[in-house]
């Protein structure tokens, strides 16, 4: 998998507003937020799309969800927020390094577009 803009953020080659880092993932604020709180949680492991996950990734994905719950508390959106993964270009994915959008701080409509 070729490097993406998120690889460069993870490697600190370009700046981002990082709110969490650990051995498995990095979280930073989206540069173009669609809600008052909008951050991305990105595994360090290069995985292009959700659809590319394998059996070895089970613990990683569980870990990311626990990180999301902690960051939701930290960002004061724990009462209501949305987690979105766009998997594939036709779903709106534009950066091909797996990432979990976490959005909150306003009422979120359903269904999404
Ligand atoms: P996708 O469309 O792939 O699901 O989401 C990519 C997200 O990454 C978009 O919400 C976009 O605003 C965000 N993004 C793209 N480039 C950068 C960047 O250089 N820095 C940050 N912080 N976010 C970015």
């Amino acid at each position: 998998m070729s490097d993406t803009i998120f690889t460069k953020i993870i490697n600190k080659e370009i700046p981002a507003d990082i709110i969490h880092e650990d051995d498995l993932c990095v979280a930073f604020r989206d540069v173009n937020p669609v809600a008052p709180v909008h951050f991305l949680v990105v595994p360090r492991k290069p995985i292009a799309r959700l659809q590319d996950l394998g059996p070895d990734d089970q613990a990683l994905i569980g870990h990311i969800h626990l990180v999301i719950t902690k960051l939701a508390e930290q960002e004061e959106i724990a009462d209501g927020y949305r987690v979105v993964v766009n998997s594939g270009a036709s779903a709106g994915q534009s950066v091909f390094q797996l990432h979990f959008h976490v959005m909150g701080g306003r009422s979120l409509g359903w269904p999404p577009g």
Side-chain angles (χ1 to χ4, degrees):
M1 199 184 103
S2 57
D3 277 4
T4 67
I5 193 101
F6 292 172
T7 316
K8 293 185 170 75
I9 290 173
I10 290 169
N11 293 334
K12 308 275 173 67
E13 290 162 16
I14 62 168
D17 187 355
I18 292 174
I19 60 171
H20 172 86
E21 279 189 272
D22 62 39
D23 290 351
L24 296 178
C25 67
V26 177
F28 50 87
R29 294 189 198 286
D30 197 294
V31 77
N32 186 23
V34 299
V37 176
H38 183 180
F39 59 87
L40 306 169
V41 186
V42 184
R44 290 185 187 274
K45 180 177 175 181
I47 302 168
R49 306 171 306 159
L50 193 71
Q51 202 57 32
D52 297 316
L53 288 175
D56 290 351
D57 300 318
Q58 205 159 318
L60 169 66
I61 298 309
H63 173 79
I64 285 174
H65 282 78
L66 287 174
V67 167
I68 287 170
T69 64
K70 288 186 185 122
L71 291 177
E73 294 281 354
Q74 183 181 302
E75 295 293 316
E76 302 182 334
I77 58 168
D79 278 354
Y81 60 93
R82 185 169 293 163
V83 180
V84 169
V85 178
N86 297 319
S87 185
S90 61
Q93 185 173 6
S94 60
V95 180
F96 284 80
Q97 164 64 21
L98 175 63
H99 51 281
F100 294 75
H101 293 259
V102 183
M103 295 157 284
R106 67 167 168 82
S107 283
L108 298 164
W110 191 262

